[in-house]
Amino acid sequence: MLRQITSRLFATPSFHNLLVNSVKSTPTLVTVAQKRQVHSRLESNGPVLEKYMRLSQPKNLALAEYVWIDGSGENVRSKTRTLDYVPKEVSELPDWSYDGSSTGQSQGHNSDVYLKPVRIYPDPIRGGNNILVLCETINYDQTPHPTNTRFTCAEVMNKIQDQEPIFGLEQEYSLLDGYEKPKPLGWPTGGFPEPQGPYYCGIGAGKSFGRDVVEAHYRACLYSGIQIGGINAEVMASQWEFQIGPGLGIKAADDLWMARFLLHRVAEDFNIVVTIDPKPIPGDWNGAGCHANFSTKAMREKGGIKVIEEAMPKLERNHHKHIIKYDPKGGVDNMRRLTGKHETSSMDKFSFGVANRGASVRIPRAVADNGCGFLEDRRPSSNMDPYVVTEMLVRTIVLNE
C-alpha cells in the first residue's frame, strides 16, 4: 500500500546544503518522537485515502491538473480545477491564473500570472477522465512571462521543422530519504555506502535503492503517453536515470517537464524526495546530468556523419554560451559537476570524440560505424531547462547563430 503524506513537510530551499550538512553529522531536523508520529501517519493514511479515491466521479466532470514551471527555472508547481465537460483538445481548455509572488515570478502589488494550456496528458494519479495540463506562463498584458522559455523554443522549432529536429533527453536524478535527515536513499545514517561500482544497472538489495518509485514512475509515464524510452540505475547508489524520446521538435522537452512532475508526485506517495541537483554529494561520487541527444534529417541520412562533424567547430565557438545556458544558475551548478572527473569533461574547454564519455560531445560508436545518426551533448546539468538546451542546440548547429 502506498504511504501518503504531503511533501511540504520536508520542503527546503536547498537540498544540496542539507545533504552536505547531514554528511557532517549536524543535529537532526526532527526529534525521534516526531519521526514516530510521521511514520504512524504514513502507515495509516494509505487505506484512508484509498477509501475516498474509490468514490465514483460524475462522468461529465474532469479534474484538470494545471502544471507550470516556477521562477527557479527547475521546479514545477500545479493546481487543480474542476471542468464540467471532458476536453479532447488543448484548445478547449480555459486559461487560468495564479499568485506569481509566491512562485518567484511577480511582485505582490501585481501578482497574477496567467496559465496558457499547451499540451494535455492523461492523469495516471486520478485516472478516469482526469488530465494533466502543461502550461506556459503569460504576463497580464498577454506577452510571454520572462521565465517562459517554451515560447521562444517553440518559435525556433517551427522555423526548422522541415529539417525534422529530433531530441532524446537522459534525465539523471537521486532519491533521498524523506523523513530522516535528507540523505541518499539506502545510505547509512552519518556515513557512506561501498564505493561506486556495483550500483550502475545493479540488481539486488544493497545495490538497488528505490526501485519501487522508479517502476511506479515508469508506468505513470507510459499511462500518460509520455515518450519514455527506458530506465536504469546509475553509478552513484540511489541515483537513477530515465530517457525521454526520441521526440520531434518541442515534444521531447514537453515530455521531460511532465515526466519530472510525475516523478516528484509519485515519489511523494512513497515519502521519498527527488533531487535533480547536479552534484548532490560532494567528493568521489558521480554527479547528475541530462545528456541531450540531437539529430536533424540530414544527420540521419546516409553520409550524415559529415554533417555531425561540421557541427563540432560551431559548438566549440559557442561553448561558453552553452555552459551559461546549461543549468538554471548560469553555469554555477555545473561548476560542481563538470570538473573533468567522474565521466565528465571540464567546463573550461570544449572537446569531442567517438565513444568518449569524458568529452563535451560524444559521437556514439554505432554512429561512426554507420556513417549517420546523432550526437550526444553531455554538458547539460540534471536540473537544466530542456527548452533552453534544445533551443541552443538548434540555434548553434542549424541556424549558425
Side-chain angles (χ1 to χ4, degrees), residues 276-324:
I276 56 173
D277 187 274
K279 188 70 174 179
I281 298 295
D284 196 21
W285 303 94
N286 272 33
C290 191
H291 303 160
N293 301 284
F294 171 63
S295 71
T296 59
K297 183 179 180 181
M299 292 179 183
R300 298 188 294 273
E301 292 177 341
K302 185 177 180 180
I305 187 68
K306 182 179 179 181
V307 182
I308 294 172
E309 290 170 344
E310 289 171 349
M312 298 305 148
K314 300 177 185 179
L315 290 167
E316 184 172 18
R317 283 195 300 270
N318 289 281
H319 174 64
H320 293 293
K321 292 180 181 178
H322 281 250
I323 288 295
I324 290 171

Side-chain angles (χ1 to χ4, degrees), residues 340-366:
K341 300 178 181 180
H342 305 108
E343 300 185 63
T344 69
S345 61
S346 169
M347 71 184 301
D348 297 322
K349 184 178 180 180
F350 179 83
S351 60
F352 72 93
V354 174
N356 185 352
R357 296 179 65 82
S360 305
V361 175
R362 181 177 74 103
I363 299 173
R365 175 67 63 191

